[in-house]
Amino acid sequence: MARDGADISESEVIYPPAAEASPSRALVASPVPSNVPATFGGFAPRGPEILTGGFNQTWMTHCLRRRWLMAILMGLIVGAGAAGALWWAFPETSTITAYLKVRSKLGSDVFDNQSERLTPQDVQRQAMNHLTLLKSPLVLDAVLQQADIANLDAVRAHQGQEINWLTDELRVTFPGDGEILEVRYAGEENADQMVKVVDAVVKAYQEKVLLQDRLLSASTQADLRQVLSDTNKRLETRLNDLKEQSAKMGTLREDVEIPQLMNEIKNLENLLVKAQDDKVNLEVFKQLAVEGANSRTLVDQAVAMELEKDPSINMYKEKLFQLQSDLQSKLSTSKNPASSQIKQLRANIQQIEAQMAQQQAEAERVLRDKISKMPNEALRSAIVEYNIRSKSIETSLAKYQKDLDAARTKLLALGVRDPQHEMLEANIDSEKLIAGNLQERVLQWQVMNEARERQERAGGVSDFDKVTVMQKATRLPSGNKLQRVAIAGMGGLVAMALTCYGVALLDFRHRRLNGAADIDEGLGVRVLGILPTTSLKALTGSSLVATQVAEAIDNVRATLMHDAAAVGRQVIMVTSSGTMEGNTVVASSLALSFARAGRRTLLVDGDLRAPALHKLFGMPIEDGFSEVLRSEIDLVDAIKPTNNEGLYLLTAGVCNADAIHALATEQPQAIFEKLRDQFDFIVIDAPPVLGISDALSLGQYIDGAILTVLRDHSEIRKVYKAVEMLKGMGVRVLGSVVNGVPLKADRRVVRLHQTGAYSSAPRLTVKNEI
């Protein structure tokens, strides 16, 4: 049967039955491999990984699929609450800005020069003064004293803390470290009222600065005039002193001799440099001569030339050449390369080579000793030449240096002047410079005062004031609307995502079945069949779902019949780990499938406490399995034929404590032995394994059990526990049937259903709704 999504492919085939002597894939828990790493403390994980694994993306997807409605509703509620809280926590604010131009120094730019500009440290110090003054209590108190400002709602909201409020909230900066002063306020107060407050602060600050500037200007002008008067008096006195000294002494400068001495000094300096270069070159010549005389290469060449002329060595070479020629001749004519004559020739060659090498080594030693004791005439002549040239250069250097010192001394003597006269001239030059600067500054003040008076009479703002308003307080468009929307939206989305994650995590605690793969691959129980979502009522009609269920159950039946033929499985129990997992649907459909296959089949309602098969087949509940267990009726009388040929039903009967107790005794053994003789297959609709012991009691008399599970309902831990309990009782789990999996019907099944091929097939009969 086809599976939904990735659980099983459309062409998946049911596992073939296992041979009797071989291990079956229907077994649930395989032994843990030895290479599985132990957990903390050295203990291996309990159960398969699907029971012990963590919460991953796959689990979250399936958990949200099951709880999507709850996750969406709770996510929307929590997300809306979080978005509302963030919207309230980040209220909309208004921004008010005003810009002022603050001059670094007084005076028009026309009178600026480089020497009067302030240093960066002075500019920074003045900027800090302006920032402190604008937010000082002196300025803010002057603003708050105004009645129209004090009565504003924005100010009255901070009654008693007005100065602290303005000090904390006003932002005063010099953007870009320039001369533009920015006053900024950002808050929740009324924007129009805050425009008035900021304008009042700027005006009060400007008045304070202008008042100080005017007072300083008046004081500075008077000081400049007094200093200029004193400087002119000192300058006049020093000029008179200079005139008197100049009249007493004449000029000592020699206009002709000094240029000649300067040229002579220059020539002597050039000669000194040239002589020093010659000295350096001479030292290099000496070093090269010494290294050439001691060169090992030259000695080796001389020894080699002498060895070439040695008669003894040449005699050995001739003998060696003759022996080698004889050897080559013998080798070319003799058929035996190892003859005694050839060996003798080779021995003679080796002897001659050894003698020649010994003679050559002795001759080389004698030659090297001889060469080392011979005088080096080339080196001796080079040393003599070096001494002569070095003495000549040293003499020239001494003469040039002496002449240079004499010329410099004479030049200094010609240029000597009276120190007092030179100091007086320097003081006069300094006083002239100071007087000129003071005079220029006084003129600047006069021009500036006249221009300021004209501009003020015209009703404008003076260009010479230190502080001028470039832009009055202006409300900027609200810049945090988009931020508020973004913060609230992102916060809501995050809260919604976390809520969905929490809902998925809560559902993950139950580890419900996600699909057939969780049973097959996760727990190791083979999947015999996959059924779509259905009910007992849907099985009684001729719908497409009923056709799909019949096809899936027929696959299960084929597998079980193959197992029965191989190992003799006749009594099959259909159970589950919990209630509402499709036991009755699978048991009744499987029994009907056996009957359609021509097998005499008995369907036993083994769920004595909550029977349902009597309603499905429209039969009375009395005179059933419970009465047989209590020995109230015979087994033959309890078995009732159904409307489906080959299918018989043993209802649950009227259950009481005696029937439950009898089920736990050996009494059912005889009952099932009789039933094995009468029927080909016996299908037991058993109660859940967990919670009550009825299924385990019935498991002692069966050949195998089929475990039914319901997708998105069955808990994997309970399924695993149920299988382990069945195994503990010696019950062989044949496999599982997964219910509630959305399936797309195969086109061949749909075609047969549309043509009515299944209309004549046996159907379950229901008289009362379940």
Side-chain angles (χ1 to χ4, degrees):
M1 295 299 294
R3 293 189 193 178
D4 180 35
D7 292 336
I8 186 171
S9 65
E10 292 185 0
S11 61
E12 182 175 359
V13 180
I14 302 299
Y15 290 130
E20 184 67 25
S22 61
S24 173
R25 296 182 65 175
L27 294 180
V28 177
S30 59
V32 179
S34 59
N35 59 351
V36 175
T39 57
F40 178 78
F43 298 99
R46 298 182 60 186
E49 184 181 359
I50 195 171
L51 300 178
T52 59
F55 186 57
N56 53 29
Q57 185 176 1
T58 302
W59 272 109
M60 184 174 69
T61 302
H62 286 291
C63 291
L64 289 177
R65 176 180 55 78
R66 284 190 288 270
R67 298 286 183 246
W68 65 270
L69 183 58
M70 178 189 296
I72 290 177
L73 292 179
M74 293 186 64
L76 289 175
I77 294 173
V78 175
L86 291 172
W87 186 266
W88 176 81
F90 294 90
E92 183 177 355
T93 59
S94 57
T95 303
I96 313 299
T97 58
Y99 292 95
L100 298 88
K101 184 175 182 180
V102 180
R103 295 182 180 273
S104 301
K105 66 184 191 113
L106 295 177
S108 173
D109 295 339
V110 177
F111 303 111
D112 287 348
N113 57 63
Q114 192 66 27
S115 62
E116 294 178 340
R117 294 189 183 277
L118 299 178
T119 63
Q121 292 78 8
D122 294 334
V123 174
Q124 185 177 8
R125 191 179 300 111
Q126 288 191 15
M128 295 303 297
N129 292 338
H130 286 291
L131 296 179
T132 304
L133 179 61
L134 195 146
K135 296 175 65 174
S136 65
L138 179 67
V139 173
L140 298 181
D141 186 65
V143 173
L144 296 174
Q145 292 297 327
Q146 303 176 24
D148 56 339
I149 299 299
N151 293 329
L152 294 175
D153 294 337
V155 179
R156 294 174 63 184
H158 302 276
Q159 189 172 7
Q161 301 291 328
E162 295 91 342
I163 293 181
N164 293 336
W165 163 59
L166 290 176
T167 302
D168 294 338
E169 298 299 331
L170 283 177
R171 298 289 180 265
V172 185
T173 58
F174 280 93
D177 296 331
E179 293 186 343
I180 303 301
L181 177 64
E182 180 188 64
V183 182
R184 179 181 293 268
Y185 174 84
E188 307 173 22
E189 289 76 11
N190 184 274
D192 295 333
Q193 295 183 5
M194 290 311 302
V195 168
K196 297 180 180 179
V197 173
V198 174
D199 275 337
V201 172
V202 170
K203 184 177 180 182
Y205 163 71
Q206 188 180 21
E207 290 176 353
K208 296 295 181 184
V209 174
L210 289 179
L211 177 61
Q212 295 180 0
D213 189 20
R214 298 293 173 84
L215 294 176
L216 179 62
S217 174
S219 175
T220 303
Q221 292 181 57
D223 293 340
L224 280 176
R225 290 190 177 92
Q226 182 63 38
V227 172
L228 178 60
S229 176
D230 296 340
T231 302
N232 287 332
K233 290 179 181 179
R234 289 196 304 272
L235 180 59
E236 184 179 358
T237 301
R238 291 177 178 174
L239 286 174
N240 293 331
D241 293 341
L242 179 63
K243 183 183 291 187
E244 292 177 359
Q245 289 186 7
S246 300
K248 294 179 180 179
M249 60 182 301
T251 304
L252 300 178
R253 189 181 306 273
E254 297 292 340
D255 296 334
V256 176
E257 191 173 359
I258 288 178
Q260 293 178 352
L261 287 174
M262 294 292 291
N263 291 332
E264 183 180 354
I265 290 172
K266 185 176 181 181
N267 293 332
L268 290 172
E269 288 176 346
N270 293 334
L271 291 173
L272 274 173
V273 172
K274 185 177 182 302
Q276 290 173 351
D277 291 340
D278 293 341
K279 186 176 181 180
V280 172
N281 293 334
L282 184 60
E283 291 294 335
V284 173
F285 166 76
K286 176 186 175 183
Q287 188 66 26
L288 291 176
V290 172
E291 291 180 357
N294 297 328
S295 174
R296 186 177 181 86
T297 303
L298 295 177
V299 175
D300 292 343
Q301 291 177 356
V303 171
M305 290 175 63
E306 292 296 328
L307 290 176
E308 290 291 336
K309 302 175 183 179
D310 191 307
S312 299
I313 295 175
N314 290 332
M315 181 186 67
Y316 282 120
K317 288 182 179 179
E318 291 176 359
K319 290 182 180 181
L320 183 62
F321 177 76
Q322 184 64 36
L323 290 173
Q324 288 176 346
S325 299
D326 294 342
L327 177 62
Q328 292 296 330
S329 177
K330 291 291 184 181
L331 288 174
S332 61
T333 59
S334 177
K335 297 181 179 180
N336 184 10
S339 65
S340 59
Q341 292 180 353
I342 293 176
K343 290 183 178 180
Q344 182 63 37
L345 285 173
R346 288 178 174 170
N348 293 338
I349 290 174
Q350 293 179 356
Q351 182 180 3
I352 295 299
E353 287 178 346
Q355 292 175 356
M356 185 177 67
Q358 183 177 1
Q359 178 66 27
Q360 188 173 1
E362 181 64 24
E364 183 178 353
R365 184 185 64 78
V366 173
L367 287 172
R368 288 185 181 276
D369 184 58
K370 181 180 178 181
I371 291 173
S372 64
K373 294 178 180 180
M374 291 175 61
N376 194 332
E377 295 297 335
L379 178 60
R380 181 179 298 177
S381 62
I383 294 298
V384 172
E385 181 182 357
Y386 167 77
N387 292 332
I388 296 173
R389 292 176 61 186
S390 176
K391 185 176 180 181
S392 175
I393 291 173
E394 291 292 341
T395 303
S396 300
L397 282 173
K399 180 178 181 302
Y400 295 154
Q401 187 64 45
K402 181 179 178 181
D403 295 343
L404 180 62
D405 293 339
R408 287 176 176 175
T409 302
K410 188 175 181 180
L411 181 63
L412 289 175
L414 292 175
V416 171
R417 302 187 62 188
D418 186 4
Q420 293 183 354
H421 188 81
E422 292 182 353
M423 185 180 297
L424 183 59
E425 287 182 348
N427 290 334
I428 290 174
D429 292 340
S430 177
E431 292 291 346
K432 287 181 179 180
L433 181 61
I434 293 173
N437 290 336
L438 290 173
Q439 184 66 36
E440 182 180 2
R441 185 60 58 87
V442 169
L443 292 176
Q444 289 179 10
W445 280 111
Q446 292 177 354
V447 173
M448 183 179 64
N449 290 335
E450 292 175 1
R452 177 185 291 167
E453 291 175 358
R454 288 196 302 271
Q455 291 175 356
E456 290 180 351
R457 285 195 300 270
V461 179
S462 173
D463 293 335
F464 297 92
D465 289 337
K466 182 173 288 188
V467 176
T468 56
V469 178
M470 301 291 295
Q471 174 185 304
K472 291 186 177 181
T474 305
R475 178 185 179 183
L476 298 178
S478 180
N480 68 331
K481 283 185 178 180
L482 184 59
Q483 294 180 352
R484 293 182 72 199
V485 173
I487 292 173
M490 290 299 296
L493 291 176
V494 171
M496 183 176 181
L498 291 177
T499 303
C500 294
Y501 183 83
V503 171
L505 196 60
L506 289 175
D507 186 78
F508 171 70
R509 296 174 58 190
H510 299 284
R511 292 185 185 260
R512 302 184 190 277
L513 185 69
N514 299 319
D518 291 346
I519 296 295
D520 188 354
E521 301 172 6
L523 296 181
V525 180
R526 69 172 178 174
V527 177
L528 298 175
I530 300 175
L531 304 185
T533 303
T534 185
S535 63
L536 291 175
K537 184 177 180 180
L539 294 178
T540 60
S542 58
S543 62
L544 180 60
V545 174
T547 303
Q548 286 182 275
V549 172
E551 282 288 336
I553 292 297
D554 286 347
N555 286 342
V556 178
R557 177 204 67 199
T559 302
L560 295 178
M561 289 179 66
H562 182 276
D563 288 352
V567 296
R569 289 173 187 155
Q570 186 177 3
V571 181
I572 299 170
M573 180 176 70
V574 180
T575 184
S576 63
S577 61
T579 59
M580 304 297 293
E581 294 185 0
N583 303 35
T584 303
V585 172
V586 174
S588 57
S589 300
L590 181 59
L592 183 60
S593 180
F594 280 127
R596 285 200 303 267
R599 300 297 191 271
R600 182 178 174 85
T601 307
L602 174 64
L603 179 59
V604 179
D605 194 346
D607 193 355
L608 304 181
R609 305 170 192 259
L613 290 179
H614 65 285
K615 296 180 180 179
L616 181 62
F617 289 90
M619 296 183 180
I621 191 173
E622 295 82 4
D623 298 334
F625 193 23
S626 297
E627 285 78 5
V628 173
L629 289 174
R630 293 194 298 265
S631 301
E632 295 178 357
I633 61 173
D634 292 335
L635 180 60
V636 177
D637 298 331
I639 297 174
K640 306 176 181 65
T642 64
N643 294 336
N644 304 102
E645 184 179 356
L647 179 60
Y648 296 84
L649 175 65
L650 177 59
T651 61
V654 179
C655 179
N656 58 12
D658 294 337
I660 299 300
H661 294 158
L663 189 62
T665 64
E666 296 182 356
Q667 186 175 350
Q669 180 68 34
I671 297 174
F672 282 101
E673 288 179 355
K674 293 180 180 179
L675 294 176
R676 287 176 184 271
D677 296 335
Q678 299 178 18
F679 295 94
D680 297 327
F681 287 97
I682 301 168
V683 180
I684 304 174
D685 180 14
V689 175
L690 304 180
I692 57 177
S693 62
D694 295 359
L696 298 177
S697 298
L698 290 171
Q700 303 176 37
Y701 314 109
I702 66 174
D703 299 325
I706 296 177
L707 194 69
T708 62
V709 293
L710 182 60
R711 179 175 181 257
D712 296 335
H713 176 77
S714 301
E715 298 183 18
I716 299 177
R717 289 192 182 94
K718 292 183 178 181
V719 174
Y720 177 74
K721 184 176 180 181
V723 176
E724 288 295 306
M725 291 180 68
L726 291 173
K727 285 180 56 184
M729 295 296 296
V731 178
R732 182 178 180 83
V733 178
L734 303 177
S736 64
V737 175
V738 183
N739 294 294
V741 178
L743 296 175
K744 182 179 179 180
D746 189 275
R747 63 180 183 274
R748 290 162 291 189
V749 176
V750 175
R751 189 181 301 115
L752 290 174
H753 175 76
Q754 292 174 348
T755 57
Y758 284 94
S759 60
S760 59
R763 298 288 179 182
L764 295 178
T765 303
V766 178
K767 292 186 178 180
N768 300 318
E769 286 196 12
I770 299 174

